[in-house]
Amino acid sequence: CNYRERVMQTIVLVPELDDRYGQDKIASRISLYDALYFHQMDNLLKFVPEIHSLETVHCVLVDKSQFLTKQQVYAWGEVADQLNIPALAYGLWTDFQGNLFEGSQY
């Protein structure tokens, strides 16, 4: 939200399995945002530069980051390191039994 208030381009990514608010949408307490779906097989280090080559990206946010795979978590760190783009992630730590999700573990 802070990036949008400053008229900075923020890309919001959401796992394809989360379609509660309609396809390519996420909800916050203040608004409904457009989002891009990613699949469990997507390499986020390749996915984000494709978007960045079309338009300047100031921040990339993954919602429901608990569903990232181990490889995607490491790629996510590389997005920040190699592309110098803030890479934010929001998600749950554990399931209802207290077990870590794969994305949260890594």
Side-chain angles (χ1 to χ4, degrees), residues 35 46 64 73 90 96 100 102:
K46 292 182 181 178
K64 310 293 185 285
V73 170
Y90 292 94
F96 72 97
L100 284 171
E102 182 177 358

Side-chain angles (χ1 to χ4, degrees), residues 11-89:
I11 301 299
V12 180
L13 303 174
V14 64
E16 67 178 336
L17 55 95
D18 184 14
D19 61 359
R20 291 175 293 161
Y21 303 104
Q23 192 170 21
D24 299 339
K25 300 278 184 203
I26 63 167
S28 76
R29 287 175 283 212
I30 59 173
S31 186
L32 193 64
Y33 292 100
D34 291 329
L36 299 172
Y37 276 150
F38 67 89
H39 308 282
Q40 283 201 313
M41 299 305 292
D42 285 340
N43 179 341
L44 299 179
L45 187 55
K46 292 182 181 178
F47 188 72
V48 174
E50 289 174 9
I51 298 166
H52 192 52
S53 71
L54 301 173
E55 58 186 304
T56 301
V57 176
H58 298 99
C59 176
V60 185
L61 169 101
V62 170
D63 191 38
K64 310 293 185 285
S65 60
Q66 70 266 24
F67 298 119
L68 293 171
T69 65
K70 178 181 177 179
Q71 293 79 16
Q72 287 175 324
V73 170
Y74 288 124
W76 197 240
E78 293 299 316
V79 166
D81 293 342
Q82 292 182 19
L83 302 176
N84 200 29
I85 299 173
L88 309 174

